[in-house]
Amino acid sequence: MHYDAEMEKWIEDKINDMTLDEKIGFIHGAALFKNKGIDRLGIQALVMSDGPCGVRFDHKDDEWVQIDEPLCYVSWLPSGTAIASTWNEDIAMSLGEVLGNEACGRGKHVILAPGINIVRTPLCGRNFEYMSEDPYLAGKIAAAEIKGVQSKDVAVCVKHFALNNQEKERMSVDVRIDDRTLHELYLPAFKMAIEEGGAYSVMCSYNKINGLYASENPILLSDILKNGWKYDGAVISDWGAVHSTAEAALAGTDLEMSVTNNFDEYFFADSLKDAVRSGEIEENVLDDKVARILRLQKRIMLYDGGRNKGGYNLPEHHAVMLDAAREGVVLLKNDRGILPLDADKCRTIAVIGDAAVRKLAHGGGSSEIKPLFEITPLMGINMVTGSRTVVKYAKGYYVDNEEHVVGEVDWQANSLDASDGSRCEAAGMDDDSKEFESDGADKADADKLINGEKPISIDKLRRQYLEEAVALAEECDAVIFVGGLNRAYDTEGFDRTSYELPYNQGEVINALLKANPNTVVSILSGSAVDMTPFEKNAPAIIWNSMNGMQAGFALAEVIFGDVNPSGKLPISFPFRLSDCPAHSVGEYPGTYDGDGGITCSYSEGIYVGYRHYSTRGVDVLFPFGHGLSYTTFEYGNIKASRCEDEDSFEVAFEITNTGSVFGKEVAEIYVTAHNPVVDRPALELKGFKKVGLEPGECRSVAIKLDRKAFEYYSVSDGTFRADSGKYTISVGRSVNDLRVSCDLIF
Ligand code: BGC
């Protein structure tokens, strides 16, 4: 990152003036989201806040109790997978600007976002916060978002570095990974976040990597991040991720944060002071940590005047949320041109599904926020159709785990006692209780919902909900089913236990399709879910990740054709879980040893997501990069020419809108190496570009592929290599729908 001699001098002078106690106070939590400032020297405490989906509400300094209730309503951003579904760096940048401005307006210095771990299994509860199974897409979108945030004088904290790819056993799982897989698949998005995005801070994760916790892993934090990538920002621990004093301090963790309020007992508190006093650790180790935090503070203009003032819930912020939500909607299937629905011709519309009325912003763990408003799909459909149609609603499926869906008010509070790090258990939501199998009698006793006093079984409730929905579907001109996951499943701290859609939704969807063939299925989920039970029967399917405060409105605009969908999948939807490489090699969640430890070997290597499916010829239901439009696009005239700098190529091609409406198209560029010296995936995403085209319009698009586009990580020399030879460049609409290609000699 840019070296600023004047700033470094200022930092050095401040450190020279600090006592050991002051330095110690500056490098560990002195509150749940703050370290300790140094008034005497005019040094402010570093004020942090979650998280990726907006600025989280505030807590008391020493208790997980919410404060400032009336002030904390903010804009709710689309989650990571939703942002990545736009495949639009400009949108990501604008969202970042909003996030930064709102964080600034709420008095924060650091926003604990974005989350960019690679989506390795569809079961990971936190996939919704992450971006993609592909490091290039995740890295590009993250870098743009980071630039946006930091342009508003707020630092990002990119998380979770690294390999936090599952929530199950996230505190203890030891990820065993080879160098190539680490460098080629799991680290590049972080590297791009730092080198392209310029991230001012990084959060180290809970898990272990090859035997050592991330927070005390010198290979990860010092050799790779700080020395290898020349990163001069701060490493902040995940909350409770530090397990040692000297090891973590020497490995490269700079600021220890945690969930408990015994701040002086943190590893980087009294115990680190003792280690310095006894000579076990040199004081200049602390100085470097202090310098990194001060550097961050200087970069966000904390000491120079003229810092952005920020603001939140500004009307222009909500407009950005709408643009983003519109571009994040992915049309997966549209047979018979059933979509868009014509509101003028549908006299009555049945909206079916709990997800049509479910609010999602508050829940799911640390990314929870309180949005100023949240437009549900049912609201959006009513808003868009106006007086043209009569919209009727039925729940369709019975949600039998409401307590998990709504989540705890202060779930982090319950982790205060979790000194062994098992926050999930402390939160009273252990794995068993997340199985959610409806166990008839017990739960039914609590469900006197429908028959007044008389308890009825869950099966009966399900039947009643289903019958009511089918009856409504039969009487209406069209049906919009809105289902998917909710906060019991798209959540921090837990993974799903099954790929299936919960609450017998498959059965409900099939019954609706039978009752009314004019049924549109919309699935809202932060991860891939199994759509095979109904996919063949459904003429139209839409997918959306958690899409922010305007989600319901944007979805309705797409359904009724006010917006032409342009989102593309940032993840693959396999037919079955066993097709997913982590599962096919039997490495999820890992193997327990006799002492409660767990090891997960990423033995599928770099073959994650489409890298596996396309190389090994495994069919998927919906491929990476897939997304339909209401118009059609044609590709042509592809050409690759060497740039003057010799190491790069310009790939030029044309896209024409051959349909009759305006549409945006994402051109995806994949690279294939011929006769590679090491095993390489059949296709790797190395570029993309979103363009808007009027009907009949033809546009030339040129994309530069630099050396990195041809590289792989060479284990023998520990660096990235690009071998000379022949490569095919393919451009298309998804990894399985390549339209034009050409060869080049690198
Ligand atoms: C999460 C982080 C979050 C932190 C602070 C942890 O449980 O893993 O992503 O930023 O809590 O709330």
Side-chain angles (χ1 to χ4, degrees), residues 101-140:
N101 214 31
E102 299 221 348
C104 208
R106 297 278 301 125
K108 313 299 177 194
H109 303 155
V110 181
I111 187 88
L112 305 171
I116 57 172
N117 295 87
I118 291 294
V119 174
R120 177 175 180 256
T121 160
L123 299 187
C124 174
R126 236 173 155 177
N127 282 344
F128 75 93
E129 277 183 72
Y130 302 148
M131 290 183 170
S132 176
E133 67 190 32
D134 180 82
Y136 181 83
L137 179 61
K140 279 285 170 196

mmCIF file of all heavy atoms in Angstrom, residues 101-140:
data_model
loop_
_atom_site.group_PDB
_atom_site.id
_atom_site.type_symbol
_atom_site.label_atom_id
_atom_site.label_comp_id
_atom_site.label_asym_id
_atom_site.label_seq_id
_atom_site.Cartn_x
_atom_site.Cartn_y
_atom_site.Cartn_z
ATOM 1 N N ASN A 101 -20.690 5.394 4.255
ATOM 2 C CA ASN A 101 -21.332 6.636 4.686
ATOM 3 C C ASN A 101 -22.204 6.418 5.914
ATOM 4 O O ASN A 101 -22.234 7.228 6.837
ATOM 5 C CB ASN A 101 -22.169 7.193 3.530
ATOM 6 C CG ASN A 101 -22.174 8.701 3.519
ATOM 7 O OD1 ASN A 101 -21.196 9.321 3.923
ATOM 8 N ND2 ASN A 101 -23.279 9.286 3.096
ATOM 9 N N GLU A 102 -22.906 5.277 5.918
ATOM 10 C CA GLU A 102 -23.790 5.007 7.060
ATOM 11 C C GLU A 102 -22.955 4.688 8.302
ATOM 12 O O GLU A 102 -23.285 5.110 9.411
ATOM 13 C CB GLU A 102 -24.759 3.863 6.727
ATOM 14 C CG GLU A 102 -25.651 4.205 5.539
ATOM 15 C CD GLU A 102 -27.106 3.791 5.677
ATOM 16 O OE1 GLU A 102 -27.447 3.027 6.596
ATOM 17 O OE2 GLU A 102 -27.920 4.255 4.839
ATOM 18 N N ALA A 103 -21.862 3.939 8.108
ATOM 19 C CA ALA A 103 -21.001 3.614 9.252
ATOM 20 C C ALA A 103 -20.428 4.904 9.834
ATOM 21 O O ALA A 103 -20.411 5.113 11.046
ATOM 22 C CB ALA A 103 -19.891 2.668 8.824
ATOM 23 N N CYS A 104 -20.007 5.783 8.952
ATOM 24 C CA CYS A 104 -19.464 7.065 9.385
ATOM 25 C C CYS A 104 -20.542 7.858 10.128
ATOM 26 O O CYS A 104 -20.305 8.396 11.211
ATOM 27 C CB CYS A 104 -19.015 7.820 8.138
ATOM 28 S SG CYS A 104 -17.708 8.936 8.428
ATOM 29 N N GLY A 105 -21.708 7.866 9.547
ATOM 30 C CA GLY A 105 -22.831 8.593 10.150
ATOM 31 C C GLY A 105 -23.211 8.029 11.510
ATOM 32 O O GLY A 105 -23.799 8.724 12.337
ATOM 33 N N ARG A 106 -22.901 6.771 11.732
ATOM 34 C CA ARG A 106 -23.207 6.146 13.029
ATOM 35 C C ARG A 106 -21.980 6.168 13.950
ATOM 36 O O ARG A 106 -21.940 5.453 14.952
ATOM 37 C CB ARG A 106 -23.670 4.699 12.832
ATOM 38 C CG ARG A 106 -24.951 4.545 12.048
ATOM 39 C CD ARG A 106 -26.240 4.745 12.879
ATOM 40 N NE ARG A 106 -26.337 3.820 13.977
ATOM 41 C CZ ARG A 106 -26.516 4.176 15.260
ATOM 42 N NH1 ARG A 106 -26.635 5.434 15.578
ATOM 43 N NH2 ARG A 106 -26.582 3.272 16.205
ATOM 44 N N GLY A 107 -20.977 6.921 13.564
ATOM 45 C CA GLY A 107 -19.822 7.116 14.449
ATOM 46 C C GLY A 107 -18.820 5.970 14.458
ATOM 47 O O GLY A 107 -18.056 5.810 15.407
ATOM 48 N N LYS A 108 -18.802 5.173 13.409
ATOM 49 C CA LYS A 108 -17.879 4.025 13.383
ATOM 50 C C LYS A 108 -16.619 4.348 12.588
ATOM 51 O O LYS A 108 -16.655 5.126 11.639
ATOM 52 C CB LYS A 108 -18.552 2.808 12.730
ATOM 53 C CG LYS A 108 -19.957 2.505 13.230
ATOM 54 C CD LYS A 108 -19.980 2.193 14.704
ATOM 55 C CE LYS A 108 -21.412 1.980 15.182
ATOM 56 N NZ LYS A 108 -21.519 2.001 16.637
ATOM 57 N N HIS A 109 -15.555 3.657 12.991
ATOM 58 C CA HIS A 109 -14.305 3.785 12.239
ATOM 59 C C HIS A 109 -14.071 2.585 11.331
ATOM 60 O O HIS A 109 -13.432 2.700 10.292
ATOM 61 C CB HIS A 109 -13.109 3.888 13.198
ATOM 62 C CG HIS A 109 -13.218 5.013 14.172
ATOM 63 N ND1 HIS A 109 -12.580 5.026 15.386
ATOM 64 C CD2 HIS A 109 -13.921 6.184 14.103
ATOM 65 C CE1 HIS A 109 -12.867 6.152 16.034
ATOM 66 N NE2 HIS A 109 -13.681 6.857 15.274
ATOM 67 N N VAL A 110 -14.555 1.434 11.786
ATOM 68 C CA VAL A 110 -14.321 0.191 11.035
ATOM 69 C C VAL A 110 -15.643 -0.529 10.879
ATOM 70 O O VAL A 110 -16.390 -0.678 11.849
ATOM 71 C CB VAL A 110 -13.353 -0.755 11.797
ATOM 72 C CG1 VAL A 110 -13.098 -2.031 11.002
ATOM 73 C CG2 VAL A 110 -12.041 -0.060 12.130
ATOM 74 N N ILE A 111 -15.922 -0.987 9.672
ATOM 75 C CA ILE A 111 -17.100 -1.824 9.471
ATOM 76 C C ILE A 111 -16.583 -3.246 9.218
ATOM 77 O O ILE A 111 -15.712 -3.457 8.369
ATOM 78 C CB ILE A 111 -18.004 -1.276 8.331
ATOM 79 C CG1 ILE A 111 -19.306 -2.059 8.238
ATOM 80 C CG2 ILE A 111 -17.334 -1.238 6.970
ATOM 81 C CD1 ILE A 111 -20.398 -1.534 9.119
ATOM 82 N N LEU A 112 -17.096 -4.192 9.982
ATOM 83 C CA LEU A 112 -16.567 -5.559 9.932
ATOM 84 C C LEU A 112 -17.158 -6.278 8.719
ATOM 85 O O LEU A 112 -18.059 -7.091 8.821
ATOM 86 C CB LEU A 112 -16.870 -6.276 11.244
ATOM 87 C CG LEU A 112 -16.344 -5.529 12.484
ATOM 88 C CD1 LEU A 112 -16.863 -6.155 13.778
ATOM 89 C CD2 LEU A 112 -14.825 -5.476 12.492
ATOM 90 N N ALA A 113 -16.649 -5.944 7.557
ATOM 91 C CA ALA A 113 -17.169 -6.438 6.291
ATOM 92 C C ALA A 113 -16.146 -6.081 5.209
ATOM 93 O O ALA A 113 -15.308 -5.206 5.444
ATOM 94 C CB ALA A 113 -18.497 -5.741 5.989
ATOM 95 N N PRO A 114 -16.217 -6.681 4.032
ATOM 96 C CA PRO A 114 -17.128 -7.755 3.624
ATOM 97 C C PRO A 114 -16.596 -9.136 4.009
ATOM 98 O O PRO A 114 -15.420 -9.285 4.327
ATOM 99 C CB PRO A 114 -17.138 -7.613 2.097
ATOM 100 C CG PRO A 114 -15.783 -7.050 1.769
ATOM 101 C CD PRO A 114 -15.398 -6.177 2.926
ATOM 102 N N GLY A 115 -17.492 -10.124 3.943
ATOM 103 C CA GLY A 115 -17.110 -11.527 4.158
ATOM 104 C C GLY A 115 -16.860 -12.146 2.792
ATOM 105 O O GLY A 115 -17.722 -12.061 1.910
ATOM 106 N N ILE A 116 -15.688 -12.739 2.626
ATOM 107 C CA ILE A 116 -15.371 -13.211 1.266
ATOM 108 C C ILE A 116 -14.836 -14.643 1.246
ATOM 109 O O ILE A 116 -14.098 -15.008 0.344
ATOM 110 C CB ILE A 116 -14.394 -12.254 0.547
ATOM 111 C CG1 ILE A 116 -13.099 -12.069 1.340
ATOM 112 C CG2 ILE A 116 -15.040 -10.910 0.304
ATOM 113 C CD1 ILE A 116 -12.038 -11.285 0.564
ATOM 114 N N ASN A 117 -15.212 -15.434 2.241
ATOM 115 C CA ASN A 117 -14.762 -16.831 2.197
ATOM 116 C C ASN A 117 -15.393 -17.549 1.006
ATOM 117 O O ASN A 117 -16.508 -17.227 0.596
ATOM 118 C CB ASN A 117 -15.122 -17.536 3.503
ATOM 119 C CG ASN A 117 -14.356 -16.936 4.674
ATOM 120 O OD1 ASN A 117 -14.803 -15.957 5.268
ATOM 121 N ND2 ASN A 117 -13.200 -17.469 4.967
ATOM 122 N N ILE A 118 -14.651 -18.506 0.489
ATOM 123 C CA ILE A 118 -15.147 -19.241 -0.685
ATOM 124 C C ILE A 118 -16.287 -20.181 -0.270
ATOM 125 O O ILE A 118 -16.214 -20.849 0.763
ATOM 126 C CB ILE A 118 -13.981 -20.051 -1.309
ATOM 127 C CG1 ILE A 118 -12.964 -19.102 -1.941
ATOM 128 C CG2 ILE A 118 -14.462 -21.110 -2.301
ATOM 129 C CD1 ILE A 118 -13.463 -18.325 -3.144
ATOM 130 N N VAL A 119 -17.339 -20.211 -1.079
ATOM 131 C CA VAL A 119 -18.461 -21.103 -0.816
ATOM 132 C C VAL A 119 -18.035 -22.524 -1.209
ATOM 133 O O VAL A 119 -17.907 -22.837 -2.389
ATOM 134 C CB VAL A 119 -19.704 -20.652 -1.605
ATOM 135 C CG1 VAL A 119 -20.835 -21.659 -1.462
ATOM 136 C CG2 VAL A 119 -20.150 -19.272 -1.141
ATOM 137 N N ARG A 120 -17.765 -23.350 -0.195
ATOM 138 C CA ARG A 120 -17.253 -24.706 -0.468
ATOM 139 C C ARG A 120 -18.361 -25.744 -0.422
ATOM 140 O O ARG A 120 -18.308 -26.733 -1.145
ATOM 141 C CB ARG A 120 -16.163 -25.041 0.559
ATOM 142 C CG ARG A 120 -15.602 -26.435 0.453
ATOM 143 C CD ARG A 120 -14.438 -26.654 1.415
ATOM 144 N NE ARG A 120 -13.919 -28.007 1.290
ATOM 145 C CZ ARG A 120 -14.139 -28.984 2.158
ATOM 146 N NH1 ARG A 120 -14.873 -28.776 3.244
ATOM 147 N NH2 ARG A 120 -13.641 -30.194 1.957
ATOM 148 N N THR A 121 -19.325 -25.523 0.457
ATOM 149 C CA THR A 121 -20.466 -26.441 0.547
ATOM 150 C C THR A 121 -21.749 -25.631 0.632
ATOM 151 O O THR A 121 -21.781 -24.600 1.323
ATOM 152 C CB THR A 121 -20.375 -27.356 1.781
ATOM 153 O OG1 THR A 121 -21.687 -27.885 2.071
ATOM 154 C CG2 THR A 121 -19.879 -26.631 3.028
ATOM 155 N N PRO A 122 -22.810 -26.105 -0.011
ATOM 156 C CA PRO A 122 -24.078 -25.366 0.091
ATOM 157 C C PRO A 122 -24.622 -25.344 1.516
ATOM 158 O O PRO A 122 -25.503 -24.556 1.824
ATOM 159 C CB PRO A 122 -25.043 -26.162 -0.800
ATOM 160 C CG PRO A 122 -24.215 -27.091 -1.612
ATOM 161 C CD PRO A 122 -22.910 -27.286 -0.886
ATOM 162 N N LEU A 123 -24.090 -26.184 2.385
ATOM 163 C CA LEU A 123 -24.657 -26.257 3.733
ATOM 164 C C LEU A 123 -24.188 -25.141 4.659
ATOM 165 O O LEU A 123 -24.822 -24.897 5.686
ATOM 166 C CB LEU A 123 -24.311 -27.609 4.378
ATOM 167 C CG LEU A 123 -24.831 -28.863 3.664
ATOM 168 C CD1 LEU A 123 -24.561 -30.104 4.517
ATOM 169 C CD2 LEU A 123 -26.319 -28.767 3.352
ATOM 170 N N CYS A 124 -23.095 -24.484 4.333
ATOM 171 C CA CYS A 124 -22.545 -23.473 5.250
ATOM 172 C C CYS A 124 -23.580 -22.383 5.534
ATOM 173 O O CYS A 124 -24.068 -21.710 4.621
ATOM 174 C CB CYS A 124 -21.281 -22.848 4.664
ATOM 175 S SG CYS A 124 -20.657 -21.482 5.661
ATOM 176 N N GLY A 125 -23.902 -22.221 6.802
ATOM 177 C CA GLY A 125 -24.951 -21.270 7.184
ATOM 178 C C GLY A 125 -24.631 -19.838 6.832
ATOM 179 O O GLY A 125 -25.514 -18.997 6.728
ATOM 180 N N ARG A 126 -23.353 -19.561 6.654
ATOM 181 C CA ARG A 126 -22.944 -18.174 6.428
ATOM 182 C C ARG A 126 -22.668 -17.861 4.969
ATOM 183 O O ARG A 126 -22.168 -16.781 4.659
ATOM 184 C CB ARG A 126 -21.701 -17.916 7.275
ATOM 185 C CG ARG A 126 -21.902 -16.768 8.188
ATOM 186 C CD ARG A 126 -20.805 -16.557 9.151
ATOM 187 N NE ARG A 126 -20.849 -15.159 9.511
ATOM 188 C CZ ARG A 126 -20.052 -14.593 10.392
ATOM 189 N NH1 ARG A 126 -19.141 -15.291 10.999
ATOM 190 N NH2 ARG A 126 -20.172 -13.306 10.667
ATOM 191 N N ASN A 127 -23.006 -18.791 4.079
ATOM 192 C CA ASN A 127 -22.772 -18.524 2.657
ATOM 193 C C ASN A 127 -23.412 -17.217 2.208
ATOM 194 O O ASN A 127 -22.898 -16.530 1.335
ATOM 195 C CB ASN A 127 -23.347 -19.654 1.795
ATOM 196 C CG ASN A 127 -22.461 -20.893 1.791
ATOM 197 O OD1 ASN A 127 -21.294 -20.832 2.168
ATOM 198 N ND2 ASN A 127 -23.016 -22.012 1.369
ATOM 199 N N PHE A 128 -24.561 -16.901 2.777
ATOM 200 C CA PHE A 128 -25.270 -15.697 2.334
ATOM 201 C C PHE A 128 -24.404 -14.450 2.497
ATOM 202 O O PHE A 128 -24.501 -13.504 1.726
ATOM 203 C CB PHE A 128 -26.594 -15.542 3.100
ATOM 204 C CG PHE A 128 -26.444 -15.075 4.523
ATOM 205 C CD1 PHE A 128 -26.511 -13.727 4.842
ATOM 206 C CD2 PHE A 128 -26.218 -15.973 5.557
ATOM 207 C CE1 PHE A 128 -26.360 -13.292 6.148
ATOM 208 C CE2 PHE A 128 -26.069 -15.555 6.868
ATOM 209 C CZ PHE A 128 -26.135 -14.209 7.162
ATOM 210 N N GLU A 129 -23.540 -14.469 3.533
ATOM 211 C CA GLU A 129 -22.667 -13.313 3.771
ATOM 212 C C GLU A 129 -21.482 -13.304 2.822
ATOM 213 O O GLU A 129 -20.845 -12.272 2.621
ATOM 214 C CB GLU A 129 -22.100 -13.371 5.191
ATOM 215 C CG GLU A 129 -23.005 -12.835 6.250
ATOM 216 C CD GLU A 129 -22.332 -12.859 7.611
ATOM 217 O OE1 GLU A 129 -21.421 -12.059 7.838
ATOM 218 O OE2 GLU A 129 -22.715 -13.697 8.440
ATOM 219 N N TYR A 130 -21.124 -14.467 2.320
ATOM 220 C CA TYR A 130 -19.960 -14.559 1.441
ATOM 221 C C TYR A 130 -20.402 -14.300 0.006
ATOM 222 O O TYR A 130 -21.560 -14.045 -0.255
ATOM 223 C CB TYR A 130 -19.287 -15.919 1.615
ATOM 224 C CG TYR A 130 -18.864 -16.182 3.052
ATOM 225 C CD1 TYR A 130 -18.848 -17.456 3.591
ATOM 226 C CD2 TYR A 130 -18.495 -15.109 3.878
ATOM 227 C CE1 TYR A 130 -18.458 -17.677 4.907
ATOM 228 C CE2 TYR A 130 -18.115 -15.321 5.190
ATOM 229 C CZ TYR A 130 -18.098 -16.605 5.707
ATOM 230 O OH TYR A 130 -17.716 -16.807 7.004
ATOM 231 N N MET A 131 -19.448 -14.398 -0.920
ATOM 232 C CA MET A 131 -19.829 -13.944 -2.258
ATOM 233 C C MET A 131 -19.966 -15.040 -3.290
ATOM 234 O O MET A 131 -20.894 -15.031 -4.085
ATOM 235 C CB MET A 131 -18.847 -12.894 -2.718
ATOM 236 C CG MET A 131 -19.055 -11.632 -1.892
ATOM 237 S SD MET A 131 -18.042 -10.278 -2.378
ATOM 238 C CE MET A 131 -18.780 -8.954 -1.433
ATOM 239 N N SER A 132 -19.044 -15.966 -3.299
ATOM 240 C CA SER A 132 -19.042 -16.873 -4.449
ATOM 241 C C SER A 132 -18.189 -18.111 -4.189
ATOM 242 O O SER A 132 -17.403 -18.161 -3.253
ATOM 243 C CB SER A 132 -18.476 -16.113 -5.656
ATOM 244 O OG SER A 132 -18.359 -16.946 -6.773
ATOM 245 N N GLU A 133 -18.351 -19.086 -5.068
ATOM 246 C CA GLU A 133 -17.451 -20.244 -5.067
ATOM 247 C C GLU A 133 -16.199 -19.932 -5.890
ATOM 248 O O GLU A 133 -15.274 -20.734 -5.932
ATOM 249 C CB GLU A 133 -18.168 -21.457 -5.658
ATOM 250 C CG GLU A 133 -18.503 -21.327 -7.144
ATOM 251 C CD GLU A 133 -19.413 -22.420 -7.670
ATOM 252 O OE1 GLU A 133 -20.266 -22.919 -6.907
ATOM 253 O OE2 GLU A 133 -19.276 -22.778 -8.858
ATOM 254 N N ASP A 134 -16.205 -18.781 -6.557
ATOM 255 C CA ASP A 134 -15.097 -18.442 -7.443
ATOM 256 C C ASP A 134 -14.287 -17.271 -6.869
ATOM 257 O O ASP A 134 -14.838 -16.206 -6.583
ATOM 258 C CB ASP A 134 -15.629 -18.048 -8.823
ATOM 259 C CG ASP A 134 -14.490 -17.697 -9.747
ATOM 260 O OD1 ASP A 134 -13.885 -18.619 -10.310
ATOM 261 O OD2 ASP A 134 -14.181 -16.487 -9.876
ATOM 262 N N PRO A 135 -12.975 -17.442 -6.739
ATOM 263 C CA PRO A 135 -12.171 -16.385 -6.114
ATOM 264 C C PRO A 135 -12.086 -15.108 -6.933
ATOM 265 O O PRO A 135 -12.001 -14.014 -6.367
ATOM 266 C CB PRO A 135 -10.778 -17.020 -5.977
ATOM 267 C CG PRO A 135 -10.772 -18.234 -6.833
ATOM 268 C CD PRO A 135 -12.192 -18.651 -7.034
ATOM 269 N N TYR A 136 -12.143 -15.229 -8.250
ATOM 270 C CA TYR A 136 -12.029 -14.036 -9.080
ATOM 271 C C TYR A 136 -13.276 -13.155 -8.914
ATOM 272 O O TYR A 136 -13.187 -11.948 -8.689
ATOM 273 C CB TYR A 136 -11.826 -14.427 -10.548
ATOM 274 C CG TYR A 136 -11.672 -13.231 -11.459
ATOM 275 C CD1 TYR A 136 -10.441 -12.604 -11.600
ATOM 276 C CD2 TYR A 136 -12.764 -12.713 -12.151
ATOM 277 C CE1 TYR A 136 -10.303 -11.485 -12.414
ATOM 278 C CE2 TYR A 136 -12.636 -11.601 -12.967
ATOM 279 C CZ TYR A 136 -11.401 -10.992 -13.097
ATOM 280 O OH TYR A 136 -11.274 -9.885 -13.896
ATOM 281 N N LEU A 137 -14.444 -13.780 -9.007
ATOM 282 C CA LEU A 137 -15.684 -13.015 -8.849
ATOM 283 C C LEU A 137 -15.743 -12.407 -7.447
ATOM 284 O O LEU A 137 -16.024 -11.208 -7.282
ATOM 285 C CB LEU A 137 -16.908 -13.919 -9.103
ATOM 286 C CG LEU A 137 -18.273 -13.257 -8.940
ATOM 287 C CD1 LEU A 137 -18.458 -12.105 -9.917
ATOM 288 C CD2 LEU A 137 -19.409 -14.275 -9.108
ATOM 289 N N ALA A 138 -15.440 -13.223 -6.432
ATOM 290 C CA ALA A 138 -15.483 -12.717 -5.048
ATOM 291 C C ALA A 138 -14.492 -11.565 -4.877
ATOM 292 O O ALA A 138 -14.815 -10.528 -4.283
ATOM 293 C CB ALA A 138 -15.161 -13.843 -4.066
ATOM 294 N N GLY A 139 -13.300 -11.721 -5.430
ATOM 295 C CA GLY A 139 -12.259 -10.707 -5.263
ATOM 296 C C GLY A 139 -12.613 -9.402 -5.955
ATOM 297 O O GLY A 139 -12.408 -8.318 -5.413
ATOM 298 N N LYS A 140 -13.140 -9.496 -7.167
ATOM 299 C CA LYS A 140 -13.474 -8.283 -7.923
ATOM 300 C C LYS A 140 -14.603 -7.510 -7.249
ATOM 301 O O LYS A 140 -14.556 -6.283 -7.125
ATOM 302 C CB LYS A 140 -13.914 -8.654 -9.351
ATOM 303 C CG LYS A 140 -12.757 -8.906 -10.277
ATOM 304 C CD LYS A 140 -12.130 -7.569 -10.657
ATOM 305 C CE LYS A 140 -10.833 -7.778 -11.374
ATOM 306 N NZ LYS A 140 -10.001 -6.583 -11.455
#
